Amino acid sequence: MKTILFNPFIKYSEKQLLLAGVLFTITGTIAGYCFSTRFDGALDAHISPNITLAESFTDNACNIISLFVSLYLAARYINKKTRGIDILTTILVARLPVYFLSLLNIGNSLYGISKKIITSNPYDLNLTYTEVITLLFYLIITLSFVVWYIVLLYNGFKVACNAKTVKHNILFAVALLVAEILSKILISIIN
């Protein structure tokens, strides 16, 4: 089970992973739209009550492109034989935990709490115990899923380009940061 959750890249074939990744992306895009969640960065997911299906699709496309460009360049620097399909498959599969985050906003419950926080005076914030517990639960789940996402990305990257050294790990981290910046720029230009 640990292999399936954290490193499916060594257990399943490229075709199986690619098909699963495409299905995750389509389902995640629709879930983002249905549950008012924008994936507005390679590492981001935010509640947004007015998202359209086109914006959800565009956000995901920008994130995938940004991740692909940065991770593929890093992987090719490490190993010239790295295939683009392996990096793309890694990205599509690894984004599954990010898509799960949209399910936390079923019924726009998080939007109501976040709107209350944003519009209130910081010194006069009156959150109920239920709202505080909901926010803490959301924070814990979000952090867990972001870690899961990065672990999946790293493990797929490692398998795709045969990364082994500390230098390779640093290159992966830099590529991830570049992808986040690039995705923010692309999304702001398109939207």
Side-chain angles (χ1 to χ4, degrees):
M1 187 63 147
K2 183 179 169 184
T3 301
I4 293 171
L5 288 176
F6 296 106
N7 202 356
F9 312 101
I10 60 173
K11 183 173 176 91
Y12 295 100
S13 74
E14 171 189 312
K15 288 180 183 179
Q16 290 172 315
L17 290 169
L18 183 60
L19 178 62
V22 168
L23 291 174
F24 295 160
T25 301
I26 292 168
T27 306
T29 300
I30 293 168
Y33 166 69
C34 291
F35 300 115
S36 303
T37 305
R38 283 198 74 174
F39 307 111
D40 55 352
L43 301 171
D44 294 0
H46 295 102
I47 306 305
S48 179
N50 301 321
I51 187 170
T52 66
L53 186 57
E55 286 173 328
S56 186
F57 174 78
T58 302
D59 290 350
N60 264 338
C62 289
N63 294 330
I64 291 166
I65 290 166
S66 300
L67 284 163
F68 179 79
V69 167
S70 63
L71 291 176
Y72 183 66
L73 290 174
R76 290 287 296 197
Y77 178 79
I78 293 168
N79 181 351
K80 299 286 184 218
K81 295 181 181 180
T82 302
R83 300 179 320 153
I85 191 70
D86 294 333
I87 297 296
L88 180 61
T89 300
T90 292
I91 294 163
L92 295 177
V93 169
R95 289 192 53 80
L96 177 63
V98 176
Y99 301 140
F100 278 141
L101 292 176
S102 63
L103 300 177
L104 296 175
N105 192 38
I106 291 176
N108 275 334
S109 58
L110 288 173
Y111 175 70
I113 297 170
S114 64
K115 185 175 180 182
K116 186 176 182 179
I117 291 170
I118 291 169
T119 59
S120 296
N121 180 344
Y123 300 107
D124 191 28
L125 186 61
N126 292 320
L127 292 177
T128 66
Y129 289 116
T130 304
E131 291 169 334
V132 171
I133 289 169
T134 301
L135 284 175
L136 288 174
F137 173 76
Y138 181 72
L139 176 66
I140 291 166
I141 295 298
T142 300
L143 289 175
S144 301
F145 278 42
V146 168
V147 168
W148 180 20
Y149 169 50
I150 292 171
V151 167
L152 279 168
L153 269 178
Y154 172 73
N155 286 335
F157 177 82
K158 188 173 154 181
V159 168
C161 68
N162 200 26
K164 294 181 180 177
T165 68
V166 172
K167 179 181 174 184
H168 298 161
N169 297 343
I170 293 170
L171 194 56
F172 168 78
V174 169
L176 202 53
L177 291 174
V178 168
E180 173 67 9
I181 294 166
L182 184 58
S183 66
K184 291 286 191 184
I185 292 168
L186 283 175
I187 289 170
S188 69
I189 290 171
I190 292 173
N191 292 327

